[in-house]
Amino acid sequence: MTQLKKETTNLLAKEASLSAMNLGVGLTFLRKYNFAHLGFIYQSFFSLSIGIERLIKLILLYEYILLNDSYPPSNYLKSKGHSIIKLFNEIKPLIEKYKCQEYFDRLETDSIYPIILNNLSDFATANRYFNLNELSGFTITQDPIGRWNSEINSMIIERHFDANSPKNKQAMEIAKRFSSSTIVKHTNENDDEINDYKNFMFASLQVEVKQKYSMFYTFCIIKALCELQRNQNNSLRSNIHLDEFFMIFREKYTNAKRQKSWNPYYPYKF
Protein backbone atom coordinates (compact mmCIF):
# COMPACT_ATOMS: atom_id res chain seq x y z
CA MET A 1 0.00 0.00 0.00
CA THR A 2 1.31 3.43 -0.97
CA GLN A 3 1.42 5.95 1.83
CA LEU A 4 0.60 9.33 0.35
CA LYS A 5 1.49 12.54 2.12
CA LYS A 6 -1.23 14.16 4.24
CA GLU A 7 -1.18 17.18 1.93
CA THR A 8 -1.86 14.91 -1.07
CA THR A 9 -4.67 12.94 0.57
CA ASN A 10 -6.33 16.18 1.68
CA LEU A 11 -6.27 17.59 -1.84
CA LEU A 12 -7.54 14.35 -3.40
CA ALA A 13 -10.37 14.19 -0.86
CA LYS A 14 -11.37 17.78 -1.55
CA GLU A 15 -11.43 17.14 -5.29
CA ALA A 16 -13.47 13.96 -4.84
CA SER A 17 -15.94 15.87 -2.67
CA LEU A 18 -16.26 18.60 -5.29
CA SER A 19 -16.86 16.12 -8.10
CA ALA A 20 -19.30 13.95 -6.14
CA MET A 21 -21.45 16.89 -5.04
CA ASN A 22 -21.65 18.26 -8.59
CA LEU A 23 -22.67 14.84 -9.89
CA GLY A 24 -25.31 14.55 -7.16
CA VAL A 25 -26.76 18.00 -7.81
CA GLY A 26 -26.68 17.37 -11.56
CA LEU A 27 -28.63 14.10 -11.41
CA THR A 28 -31.08 15.48 -8.83
CA PHE A 29 -31.88 18.56 -10.88
CA LEU A 30 -32.07 16.58 -14.12
CA ARG A 31 -34.71 14.49 -12.35
CA LYS A 32 -36.62 17.79 -11.90
CA TYR A 33 -36.46 18.55 -15.64
CA ASN A 34 -39.34 20.82 -16.62
CA PHE A 35 -39.87 23.02 -19.67
CA ALA A 36 -41.72 25.47 -17.41
CA HIS A 37 -38.79 25.78 -14.96
CA LEU A 38 -35.64 25.96 -17.08
CA GLY A 39 -33.38 26.77 -14.11
CA PHE A 40 -33.39 23.11 -13.09
CA ILE A 41 -32.13 22.10 -16.52
CA TYR A 42 -29.39 24.74 -16.69
CA GLN A 43 -28.14 23.85 -13.22
CA SER A 44 -28.06 20.15 -14.07
CA PHE A 45 -25.96 20.81 -17.18
CA PHE A 46 -23.49 22.98 -15.25
CA SER A 47 -23.17 20.49 -12.41
CA LEU A 48 -22.96 17.39 -14.60
CA SER A 49 -20.37 18.81 -16.99
CA ILE A 50 -18.20 19.97 -14.06
CA GLY A 51 -18.70 16.76 -12.05
CA ILE A 52 -17.86 14.42 -14.93
CA GLU A 53 -14.84 16.46 -16.02
CA ARG A 54 -13.43 16.61 -12.50
CA LEU A 55 -14.05 12.90 -11.85
CA ILE A 56 -12.16 11.90 -14.99
CA LYS A 57 -9.31 14.26 -14.14
CA LEU A 58 -9.26 12.84 -10.60
CA ILE A 59 -8.88 9.33 -12.06
CA LEU A 60 -6.04 10.49 -14.32
CA LEU A 61 -4.31 12.34 -11.48
CA TYR A 62 -4.54 9.39 -9.10
CA GLU A 63 -3.07 7.12 -11.77
CA TYR A 64 -0.15 9.48 -12.37
CA ILE A 65 0.61 10.14 -8.69
CA LEU A 66 0.49 6.49 -7.65
CA LEU A 67 2.60 5.23 -10.57
CA ASN A 68 5.16 8.03 -10.54
CA ASP A 69 5.30 8.87 -6.83
CA SER A 70 5.08 12.56 -7.72
CA TYR A 71 2.71 15.22 -8.94
CA PRO A 72 2.40 15.60 -12.73
CA PRO A 73 3.89 18.58 -14.64
CA SER A 74 1.98 21.84 -14.26
CA ASN A 75 0.55 21.59 -17.79
CA TYR A 76 -0.61 17.98 -17.39
CA LEU A 77 -4.29 18.71 -16.71
CA LYS A 78 -4.43 22.05 -18.50
CA SER A 79 -3.44 20.37 -21.76
CA LYS A 80 -6.45 18.03 -21.50
CA GLY A 81 -8.94 20.92 -21.61
CA HIS A 82 -12.64 20.76 -20.78
CA SER A 83 -13.90 18.47 -23.55
CA ILE A 84 -15.59 15.49 -21.91
CA ILE A 85 -15.29 13.55 -25.17
CA LYS A 86 -11.50 13.99 -25.21
CA LEU A 87 -11.27 13.14 -21.53
CA PHE A 88 -13.22 9.91 -22.12
CA ASN A 89 -10.66 8.96 -24.74
CA GLU A 90 -7.90 9.61 -22.19
CA ILE A 91 -9.23 6.97 -19.81
CA LYS A 92 -9.92 4.26 -22.40
CA PRO A 93 -6.68 2.38 -21.62
CA LEU A 94 -7.72 2.24 -17.95
CA ILE A 95 -11.07 0.58 -18.67
CA GLU A 96 -9.49 -2.72 -19.67
CA LYS A 97 -6.65 -2.36 -17.16
CA TYR A 98 -9.10 -2.16 -14.26
CA LYS A 99 -11.63 -4.63 -15.68
CA CYS A 100 -14.58 -2.26 -16.11
CA GLN A 101 -15.48 -3.20 -19.66
CA GLU A 102 -19.01 -4.35 -18.82
CA TYR A 103 -20.05 -0.87 -17.66
CA PHE A 104 -18.55 0.90 -20.66
CA ASP A 105 -19.86 -1.73 -23.10
CA ARG A 106 -23.34 -0.64 -22.06
CA LEU A 107 -22.49 2.89 -23.21
CA GLU A 108 -21.33 1.63 -26.61
CA THR A 109 -24.38 -0.50 -27.37
CA ASP A 110 -26.93 2.34 -27.22
CA SER A 111 -26.74 5.42 -29.44
CA ILE A 112 -28.19 7.69 -26.75
CA TYR A 113 -25.04 7.65 -24.61
CA PRO A 114 -22.63 9.28 -27.08
CA ILE A 115 -25.30 11.90 -27.79
CA ILE A 116 -25.55 12.72 -24.07
CA LEU A 117 -21.77 12.90 -23.81
CA ASN A 118 -21.55 15.18 -26.84
CA ASN A 119 -24.25 17.47 -25.42
CA LEU A 120 -22.50 17.78 -22.06
CA SER A 121 -19.09 18.12 -23.67
CA ASP A 122 -20.24 20.93 -25.95
CA PHE A 123 -21.96 22.60 -23.01
CA ALA A 124 -18.70 22.50 -21.05
CA THR A 125 -16.65 23.99 -23.89
CA ALA A 126 -19.04 26.42 -25.59
CA ASN A 127 -22.81 26.12 -25.25
CA ARG A 128 -22.99 27.23 -21.62
CA TYR A 129 -22.45 30.73 -23.05
CA PHE A 130 -25.32 30.45 -25.56
CA ASN A 131 -27.68 33.01 -24.00
CA LEU A 132 -24.94 35.59 -23.49
CA ASN A 133 -23.56 34.99 -26.97
CA GLU A 134 -26.96 35.46 -28.59
CA LEU A 135 -27.53 38.68 -26.66
CA SER A 136 -24.12 39.88 -27.83
CA GLY A 137 -24.72 39.07 -31.50
CA PHE A 138 -22.35 36.11 -31.37
CA THR A 139 -24.30 33.23 -32.91
CA ILE A 140 -21.92 30.29 -33.27
CA THR A 141 -23.07 28.31 -30.21
CA GLN A 142 -26.19 26.12 -29.81
CA ASP A 143 -29.06 26.41 -27.37
CA PRO A 144 -28.19 23.60 -24.90
CA ILE A 145 -31.77 23.02 -23.74
CA GLY A 146 -33.26 23.04 -27.22
CA ARG A 147 -30.54 20.69 -28.42
CA TRP A 148 -31.04 18.29 -25.50
CA ASN A 149 -34.76 18.21 -26.22
CA SER A 150 -34.30 17.64 -29.96
CA GLU A 151 -31.53 15.05 -29.76
CA ILE A 152 -32.09 13.21 -26.47
CA ASN A 153 -35.66 13.77 -25.33
CA SER A 154 -36.94 12.86 -28.78
CA MET A 155 -35.37 9.42 -28.34
CA ILE A 156 -36.67 9.12 -24.79
CA ILE A 157 -40.23 9.98 -25.83
CA GLU A 158 -40.10 7.51 -28.72
CA ARG A 159 -38.91 4.75 -26.41
CA HIS A 160 -40.76 5.36 -23.17
CA PHE A 161 -43.80 7.62 -23.62
CA ASP A 162 -47.16 6.00 -24.27
CA ALA A 163 -49.65 8.62 -25.44
CA ASN A 164 -52.37 5.96 -25.50
CA SER A 165 -52.07 4.82 -21.90
CA PRO A 166 -55.41 5.12 -20.03
CA LYS A 167 -54.04 7.85 -17.78
CA ASN A 168 -52.73 9.96 -20.66
CA LYS A 169 -55.84 9.47 -22.80
CA GLN A 170 -58.03 10.57 -19.91
CA ALA A 171 -55.89 13.66 -19.31
CA MET A 172 -56.08 14.63 -22.98
CA GLU A 173 -59.85 14.19 -23.03
CA ILE A 174 -60.15 16.58 -20.09
CA ALA A 175 -57.78 19.03 -21.82
CA LYS A 176 -59.93 19.03 -24.96
CA ARG A 177 -63.00 20.03 -22.92
CA PHE A 178 -61.22 23.00 -21.34
CA SER A 179 -59.17 24.03 -24.35
CA SER A 180 -61.75 26.41 -25.80
CA SER A 181 -62.26 28.23 -22.49
CA THR A 182 -58.63 28.42 -21.34
CA ILE A 183 -55.89 30.86 -22.34
CA VAL A 184 -52.33 29.51 -22.44
CA LYS A 185 -49.20 31.53 -23.23
CA HIS A 186 -46.04 29.47 -22.95
CA THR A 187 -43.10 28.00 -24.89
CA ASN A 188 -41.49 24.58 -24.93
CA GLU A 189 -37.77 23.76 -24.71
CA ASN A 190 -37.26 24.67 -28.38
CA ASP A 191 -39.00 28.04 -27.92
CA ASP A 192 -42.03 26.88 -29.89
CA GLU A 193 -45.18 28.62 -28.69
CA ILE A 194 -47.82 26.69 -26.77
CA ASN A 195 -51.09 28.56 -27.22
CA ASP A 196 -53.80 26.15 -26.15
CA TYR A 197 -54.50 23.95 -23.17
CA LYS A 198 -54.49 20.72 -25.15
CA ASN A 199 -50.90 21.20 -26.36
CA PHE A 200 -49.85 22.39 -22.92
CA MET A 201 -51.28 19.25 -21.37
CA PHE A 202 -49.57 17.01 -23.93
CA ALA A 203 -46.19 18.67 -23.24
CA SER A 204 -46.77 18.38 -19.49
CA LEU A 205 -47.57 14.67 -19.71
CA GLN A 206 -44.16 14.06 -21.27
CA VAL A 207 -42.24 15.81 -18.50
CA GLU A 208 -42.14 12.84 -16.10
CA VAL A 209 -40.71 10.56 -18.78
CA LYS A 210 -38.11 13.15 -19.77
CA GLN A 211 -37.14 13.60 -16.12
CA LYS A 212 -36.82 9.93 -15.33
CA TYR A 213 -34.91 8.76 -18.38
CA SER A 214 -32.71 11.82 -18.88
CA MET A 215 -31.52 11.18 -15.34
CA PHE A 216 -31.23 7.41 -15.76
CA TYR A 217 -29.23 7.40 -18.99
CA THR A 218 -26.89 10.06 -17.57
CA PHE A 219 -26.56 8.01 -14.38
CA CYS A 220 -25.35 5.03 -16.44
CA ILE A 221 -22.46 7.14 -17.75
CA ILE A 222 -21.57 8.29 -14.24
CA LYS A 223 -21.86 4.77 -12.83
CA ALA A 224 -19.33 3.48 -15.38
CA LEU A 225 -16.84 6.16 -14.34
CA CYS A 226 -17.40 5.51 -10.63
CA GLU A 227 -16.93 1.75 -11.06
CA LEU A 228 -13.66 2.51 -12.87
CA GLN A 229 -12.59 4.82 -10.05
CA ARG A 230 -13.32 2.17 -7.41
CA ASN A 231 -11.46 -0.59 -9.27
CA GLN A 232 -8.52 1.75 -9.78
CA ASN A 233 -8.50 2.64 -6.08
CA ASN A 234 -8.64 -1.05 -5.11
CA SER A 235 -5.81 -1.92 -7.47
CA LEU A 236 -3.52 1.04 -6.80
CA ARG A 237 -4.01 0.90 -3.06
CA SER A 238 -3.12 3.87 -0.93
CA ASN A 239 -4.04 5.40 2.41
CA ILE A 240 -7.07 7.19 0.96
CA HIS A 241 -10.31 5.59 -0.21
CA LEU A 242 -11.72 8.01 -2.76
CA ASP A 243 -14.34 5.47 -3.80
CA GLU A 244 -16.28 6.26 -0.62
CA PHE A 245 -17.20 9.67 -2.04
CA PHE A 246 -18.90 8.07 -5.06
CA MET A 247 -20.71 5.18 -3.39
CA ILE A 248 -24.21 6.43 -4.24
CA PHE A 249 -23.36 6.53 -7.95
CA ARG A 250 -22.60 2.79 -7.98
CA GLU A 251 -26.26 2.01 -7.24
CA LYS A 252 -27.84 -0.88 -9.13
CA TYR A 253 -29.42 0.12 -12.43
CA THR A 254 -32.87 -1.04 -11.37
CA ASN A 255 -32.77 1.02 -8.18
CA ALA A 256 -31.31 4.10 -9.87
CA LYS A 257 -34.25 4.40 -12.21
CA ARG A 258 -36.53 5.05 -9.23
CA GLN A 259 -34.21 7.43 -7.39
CA LYS A 260 -34.96 11.15 -7.31
CA SER A 261 -32.31 12.57 -4.98
CA TRP A 262 -28.57 11.98 -5.27
CA ASN A 263 -26.86 13.61 -2.30
CA PRO A 264 -23.51 11.77 -1.94
CA TYR A 265 -23.57 12.43 1.82
CA TYR A 266 -25.71 10.65 4.37
CA PRO A 267 -28.74 10.49 4.44
CA TYR A 268 -28.24 10.59 0.64
CA LYS A 269 -31.13 12.95 -0.02
CA PHE A 270 -31.19 16.72 -0.47
Short mmCIF file of all heavy atoms in Angstrom, two decimals, residues 165-202:
data_model
loop_
_atom_site.label_atom_id
_atom_site.label_comp_id
_atom_site.label_asym_id
_atom_site.label_seq_id
_atom_site.Cartn_x
_atom_site.Cartn_y
_atom_site.Cartn_z
N SER A 165 -51.80 5.46 -23.19
CA SER A 165 -52.07 4.82 -21.90
C SER A 165 -53.39 5.39 -21.36
O SER A 165 -53.76 6.53 -21.67
CB SER A 165 -50.94 5.10 -20.91
OG SER A 165 -50.95 6.46 -20.51
N PRO A 166 -54.13 4.63 -20.56
CA PRO A 166 -55.41 5.12 -20.03
C PRO A 166 -55.28 6.46 -19.31
O PRO A 166 -56.13 7.34 -19.48
CB PRO A 166 -55.83 4.00 -19.06
CG PRO A 166 -55.18 2.77 -19.61
CD PRO A 166 -53.87 3.22 -20.18
N LYS A 167 -54.23 6.62 -18.52
CA LYS A 167 -54.04 7.85 -17.78
C LYS A 167 -53.84 9.04 -18.72
O LYS A 167 -54.45 10.11 -18.54
CB LYS A 167 -52.82 7.71 -16.85
CG LYS A 167 -52.49 8.97 -16.08
CD LYS A 167 -51.23 8.77 -15.25
CE LYS A 167 -50.82 10.04 -14.55
NZ LYS A 167 -49.56 9.86 -13.76
N ASN A 168 -53.00 8.87 -19.73
CA ASN A 168 -52.73 9.96 -20.66
C ASN A 168 -53.93 10.27 -21.55
O ASN A 168 -54.21 11.44 -21.85
CB ASN A 168 -51.50 9.64 -21.52
CG ASN A 168 -50.21 9.67 -20.72
OD1 ASN A 168 -50.15 10.28 -19.66
ND2 ASN A 168 -49.18 9.01 -21.22
N LYS A 169 -54.64 9.25 -21.97
CA LYS A 169 -55.84 9.47 -22.80
C LYS A 169 -56.90 10.22 -22.02
O LYS A 169 -57.56 11.11 -22.56
CB LYS A 169 -56.37 8.12 -23.30
CG LYS A 169 -55.51 7.49 -24.39
CD LYS A 169 -56.05 6.13 -24.82
CE LYS A 169 -57.32 6.27 -25.61
NZ LYS A 169 -57.78 4.96 -26.17
N GLN A 170 -57.05 9.87 -20.75
CA GLN A 170 -58.03 10.57 -19.91
C GLN A 170 -57.65 12.04 -19.73
O GLN A 170 -58.50 12.93 -19.80
CB GLN A 170 -58.14 9.87 -18.56
CG GLN A 170 -59.19 10.48 -17.64
CD GLN A 170 -59.27 9.78 -16.30
OE1 GLN A 170 -58.26 9.33 -15.77
NE2 GLN A 170 -60.48 9.67 -15.76
N ALA A 171 -56.35 12.28 -19.49
CA ALA A 171 -55.89 13.66 -19.31
C ALA A 171 -56.12 14.49 -20.57
O ALA A 171 -56.52 15.66 -20.50
CB ALA A 171 -54.41 13.66 -18.94
N MET A 172 -55.89 13.90 -21.72
CA MET A 172 -56.08 14.63 -22.98
C MET A 172 -57.56 14.88 -23.27
O MET A 172 -57.92 15.92 -23.84
CB MET A 172 -55.44 13.85 -24.14
CG MET A 172 -53.92 13.84 -24.12
SD MET A 172 -53.18 15.50 -24.04
CE MET A 172 -53.80 16.22 -25.56
N GLU A 173 -58.41 13.98 -22.86
CA GLU A 173 -59.85 14.19 -23.03
C GLU A 173 -60.32 15.38 -22.19
O GLU A 173 -61.11 16.21 -22.64
CB GLU A 173 -60.62 12.92 -22.64
CG GLU A 173 -60.59 11.82 -23.67
CD GLU A 173 -61.24 12.25 -24.99
OE1 GLU A 173 -62.28 12.96 -24.94
OE2 GLU A 173 -60.70 11.90 -26.05
N ILE A 174 -59.81 15.46 -20.97
CA ILE A 174 -60.15 16.58 -20.09
C ILE A 174 -59.62 17.88 -20.69
O ILE A 174 -60.29 18.92 -20.68
CB ILE A 174 -59.58 16.35 -18.68
CG1 ILE A 174 -60.26 15.14 -18.02
CG2 ILE A 174 -59.73 17.61 -17.82
CD1 ILE A 174 -59.63 14.72 -16.71
N ALA A 175 -58.39 17.84 -21.23
CA ALA A 175 -57.78 19.03 -21.82
C ALA A 175 -58.59 19.54 -23.01
O ALA A 175 -58.73 20.75 -23.21
CB ALA A 175 -56.34 18.72 -22.25
N LYS A 176 -59.12 18.63 -23.79
CA LYS A 176 -59.93 19.03 -24.96
C LYS A 176 -61.18 19.81 -24.51
O LYS A 176 -61.58 20.77 -25.15
CB LYS A 176 -60.35 17.79 -25.75
CG LYS A 176 -59.22 17.15 -26.55
CD LYS A 176 -59.72 15.91 -27.28
CE LYS A 176 -58.58 15.21 -28.00
NZ LYS A 176 -59.04 13.97 -28.69
N ARG A 177 -61.78 19.38 -23.41
CA ARG A 177 -63.00 20.03 -22.92
C ARG A 177 -62.73 21.46 -22.47
O ARG A 177 -63.58 22.34 -22.64
CB ARG A 177 -63.60 19.23 -21.77
CG ARG A 177 -64.07 17.83 -22.15
CD ARG A 177 -64.58 17.09 -20.92
NE ARG A 177 -64.87 15.70 -21.23
CZ ARG A 177 -65.26 14.80 -20.31
NH1 ARG A 177 -65.41 15.20 -19.04
NH2 ARG A 177 -65.49 13.55 -20.65
N PHE A 178 -61.55 21.68 -21.88
CA PHE A 178 -61.22 23.00 -21.34
C PHE A 178 -60.47 23.88 -22.32
O PHE A 178 -60.27 25.07 -22.07
CB PHE A 178 -60.38 22.85 -20.06
CG PHE A 178 -61.17 22.39 -18.87
CD1 PHE A 178 -61.21 21.05 -18.53
CD2 PHE A 178 -61.86 23.31 -18.09
CE1 PHE A 178 -61.93 20.63 -17.43
CE2 PHE A 178 -62.58 22.89 -16.98
CZ PHE A 178 -62.63 21.54 -16.65
N SER A 179 -60.05 23.31 -23.43
CA SER A 179 -59.17 24.03 -24.35
C SER A 179 -59.81 25.31 -24.89
O SER A 179 -59.16 26.35 -25.01
CB SER A 179 -58.76 23.12 -25.52
OG SER A 179 -57.69 23.68 -26.23
N SER A 180 -61.08 25.25 -25.20
CA SER A 180 -61.75 26.41 -25.80
C SER A 180 -62.00 27.54 -24.80
O SER A 180 -62.20 28.69 -25.19
CB SER A 180 -63.08 25.98 -26.43
OG SER A 180 -63.94 25.42 -25.45
N SER A 181 -61.96 27.22 -23.51
CA SER A 181 -62.26 28.23 -22.49
C SER A 181 -61.03 28.60 -21.65
O SER A 181 -61.15 29.24 -20.62
CB SER A 181 -63.36 27.71 -21.56
OG SER A 181 -62.98 26.50 -20.94
N THR A 182 -59.86 28.19 -22.10
CA THR A 182 -58.63 28.42 -21.34
C THR A 182 -57.60 29.14 -22.20
O THR A 182 -57.42 28.81 -23.37
CB THR A 182 -58.02 27.08 -20.85
OG1 THR A 182 -59.01 26.36 -20.13
CG2 THR A 182 -56.82 27.32 -19.96
N ILE A 183 -56.94 30.13 -21.64
CA ILE A 183 -55.89 30.86 -22.34
C ILE A 183 -54.53 30.37 -21.85
O ILE A 183 -54.26 30.34 -20.65
CB ILE A 183 -56.00 32.38 -22.11
CG1 ILE A 183 -57.33 32.89 -22.67
CG2 ILE A 183 -54.82 33.11 -22.74
CD1 ILE A 183 -57.58 34.35 -22.36
N VAL A 184 -53.67 29.98 -22.78
CA VAL A 184 -52.33 29.51 -22.44
C VAL A 184 -51.32 30.31 -23.25
O VAL A 184 -51.45 30.45 -24.47
CB VAL A 184 -52.16 28.00 -22.74
CG1 VAL A 184 -50.72 27.57 -22.50
CG2 VAL A 184 -53.12 27.18 -21.89
N LYS A 185 -50.31 30.83 -22.58
CA LYS A 185 -49.20 31.53 -23.23
C LYS A 185 -47.89 30.95 -22.68
O LYS A 185 -47.47 31.29 -21.58
CB LYS A 185 -49.26 33.04 -22.98
CG LYS A 185 -50.46 33.74 -23.60
CD LYS A 185 -50.32 33.81 -25.11
CE LYS A 185 -51.48 34.57 -25.73
NZ LYS A 185 -51.39 34.64 -27.21
N HIS A 186 -47.27 30.09 -23.43
CA HIS A 186 -46.04 29.47 -22.95
C HIS A 186 -45.19 29.04 -24.15
O HIS A 186 -45.61 29.16 -25.30
CB HIS A 186 -46.35 28.24 -22.08
CG HIS A 186 -45.43 28.11 -20.90
ND1 HIS A 186 -44.09 27.83 -21.03
CD2 HIS A 186 -45.68 28.20 -19.57
CE1 HIS A 186 -43.54 27.78 -19.82
NE2 HIS A 186 -44.48 28.01 -18.92
N THR A 187 -43.98 28.56 -23.85
CA THR A 187 -43.10 28.00 -24.89
C THR A 187 -42.51 26.70 -24.39
O THR A 187 -42.38 26.48 -23.17
CB THR A 187 -41.95 28.97 -25.24
OG1 THR A 187 -41.23 29.29 -24.05
CG2 THR A 187 -42.47 30.24 -25.90
N ASN A 188 -42.15 25.83 -25.33
CA ASN A 188 -41.49 24.58 -24.93
C ASN A 188 -39.97 24.77 -24.94
O ASN A 188 -39.47 25.88 -25.10
CB ASN A 188 -41.93 23.42 -25.83
CG ASN A 188 -41.49 23.62 -27.29
OD1 ASN A 188 -40.66 24.48 -27.61
ND2 ASN A 188 -42.03 22.82 -28.17
N GLU A 189 -39.22 23.69 -24.81
CA GLU A 189 -37.77 23.76 -24.71
C GLU A 189 -37.12 24.31 -25.98
O GLU A 189 -36.01 24.83 -25.94
CB GLU A 189 -37.18 22.38 -24.41
CG GLU A 189 -37.66 21.76 -23.11
CD GLU A 189 -38.79 20.79 -23.33
OE1 GLU A 189 -39.76 21.15 -24.05
OE2 GLU A 189 -38.74 19.66 -22.81
N ASN A 190 -37.80 24.18 -27.11
CA ASN A 190 -37.26 24.67 -28.38
C ASN A 190 -37.80 26.05 -28.73
O ASN A 190 -37.68 26.50 -29.87
CB ASN A 190 -37.58 23.68 -29.50
CG ASN A 190 -36.88 22.35 -29.31
OD1 ASN A 190 -37.45 21.41 -28.74
ND2 ASN A 190 -35.64 22.26 -29.76
N ASP A 191 -38.43 26.71 -27.75
CA ASP A 191 -39.00 28.04 -27.92
C ASP A 191 -40.19 28.08 -28.87
O ASP A 191 -40.57 29.15 -29.36
CB ASP A 191 -37.93 29.05 -28.39
CG ASP A 191 -36.88 29.32 -27.33
OD1 ASP A 191 -37.21 29.18 -26.13
OD2 ASP A 191 -35.73 29.64 -27.68
N ASP A 192 -40.79 26.92 -29.12
CA ASP A 192 -42.03 26.88 -29.89
C ASP A 192 -43.17 27.31 -28.98
O ASP A 192 -43.25 26.90 -27.81
CB ASP A 192 -42.30 25.47 -30.42
CG ASP A 192 -41.19 24.99 -31.34
OD1 ASP A 192 -40.68 25.81 -32.13
OD2 ASP A 192 -40.82 23.80 -31.26
N GLU A 193 -44.08 28.13 -29.51
CA GLU A 193 -45.18 28.62 -28.69
C GLU A 193 -46.22 27.54 -28.40
O GLU A 193 -46.54 26.72 -29.26
CB GLU A 193 -45.85 29.81 -29.39
CG GLU A 193 -44.98 31.05 -29.44
CD GLU A 193 -45.72 32.27 -29.95
OE1 GLU A 193 -46.93 32.14 -30.25
OE2 GLU A 193 -45.11 33.34 -30.02
N ILE A 194 -46.71 27.56 -27.18
CA ILE A 194 -47.82 26.69 -26.77
C ILE A 194 -48.99 27.62 -26.47
O ILE A 194 -48.97 28.35 -25.49
CB ILE A 194 -47.46 25.85 -25.53
CG1 ILE A 194 -46.22 24.99 -25.80
CG2 ILE A 194 -48.64 24.97 -25.12
CD1 ILE A 194 -45.73 24.22 -24.59
N ASN A 195 -50.00 27.57 -27.31
CA ASN A 195 -51.09 28.56 -27.22
C ASN A 195 -52.44 27.99 -26.83
O ASN A 195 -53.42 28.72 -26.77
CB ASN A 195 -51.23 29.29 -28.57
CG ASN A 195 -50.01 30.17 -28.86
OD1 ASN A 195 -49.48 30.79 -27.96
ND2 ASN A 195 -49.59 30.20 -30.11
N ASP A 196 -52.51 26.70 -26.60
CA ASP A 196 -53.80 26.15 -26.15
C ASP A 196 -53.57 25.08 -25.10
O ASP A 196 -52.48 24.50 -24.99
CB ASP A 196 -54.61 25.59 -27.32
CG ASP A 196 -53.93 24.41 -28.00
OD1 ASP A 196 -53.90 23.33 -27.41
OD2 ASP A 196 -53.43 24.59 -29.12
N TYR A 197 -54.61 24.84 -24.33
CA TYR A 197 -54.50 23.95 -23.17
C TYR A 197 -54.21 22.51 -23.57
O TYR A 197 -53.51 21.79 -22.86
CB TYR A 197 -55.78 24.03 -22.35
CG TYR A 197 -55.69 23.34 -21.01
CD1 TYR A 197 -54.78 23.78 -20.05
CD2 TYR A 197 -56.51 22.26 -20.70
CE1 TYR A 197 -54.69 23.15 -18.82
CE2 TYR A 197 -56.42 21.62 -19.47
CZ TYR A 197 -55.50 22.06 -18.54
OH TYR A 197 -55.41 21.44 -17.32
N LYS A 198 -54.71 22.10 -24.70
CA LYS A 198 -54.49 20.72 -25.15
C LYS A 198 -53.00 20.45 -25.40
O LYS A 198 -52.46 19.45 -24.95
CB LYS A 198 -55.30 20.45 -26.43
CG LYS A 198 -55.21 19.00 -26.92
CD LYS A 198 -56.13 18.76 -28.10
CE LYS A 198 -55.66 19.53 -29.32
NZ LYS A 198 -56.46 19.21 -30.53
N ASN A 199 -52.33 21.37 -26.10
CA ASN A 199 -50.90 21.20 -26.36
C ASN A 199 -50.08 21.34 -25.10
O ASN A 199 -49.06 20.68 -24.93
CB ASN A 199 -50.44 22.21 -27.41
CG ASN A 199 -50.95 21.88 -28.80
OD1 ASN A 199 -51.22 20.73 -29.12
ND2 ASN A 199 -51.12 22.90 -29.63
N PHE A 200 -50.54 22.24 -24.19
CA PHE A 200 -49.85 22.39 -22.92
C PHE A 200 -49.94 21.10 -22.10
O PHE A 200 -48.95 20.67 -21.50
CB PHE A 200 -50.45 23.56 -22.13
CG PHE A 200 -49.74 23.85 -20.84
CD1 PHE A 200 -48.57 24.59 -20.83
CD2 PHE A 200 -50.25 23.38 -19.64
CE1 PHE A 200 -47.90 24.85 -19.63
CE2 PHE A 200 -49.60 23.64 -18.44
CZ PHE A 200 -48.42 24.39 -18.44
N MET A 201 -51.10 20.49 -22.10
CA MET A 201 -51.28 19.25 -21.37
C MET A 201 -50.41 18.14 -21.96
O MET A 201 -49.75 17.39 -21.23
CB MET A 201 -52.75 18.81 -21.40
CG MET A 201 -53.02 17.45 -20.77
SD MET A 201 -52.60 17.39 -19.00
CE MET A 201 -53.99 18.31 -18.32
N PHE A 202 -50.36 18.06 -23.28
CA PHE A 202 -49.57 17.01 -23.93
C PHE A 202 -48.09 17.17 -23.59
O PHE A 202 -47.40 16.19 -23.29
CB PHE A 202 -49.77 17.05 -25.44
CG PHE A 202 -49.21 15.85 -26.16
CD1 PHE A 202 -49.79 14.60 -26.01
CD2 PHE A 202 -48.09 15.96 -26.97
CE1 PHE A 202 -49.28 13.48 -26.65
CE2 PHE A 202 -47.57 14.86 -27.62
CZ PHE A 202 -48.16 13.61 -27.46
#
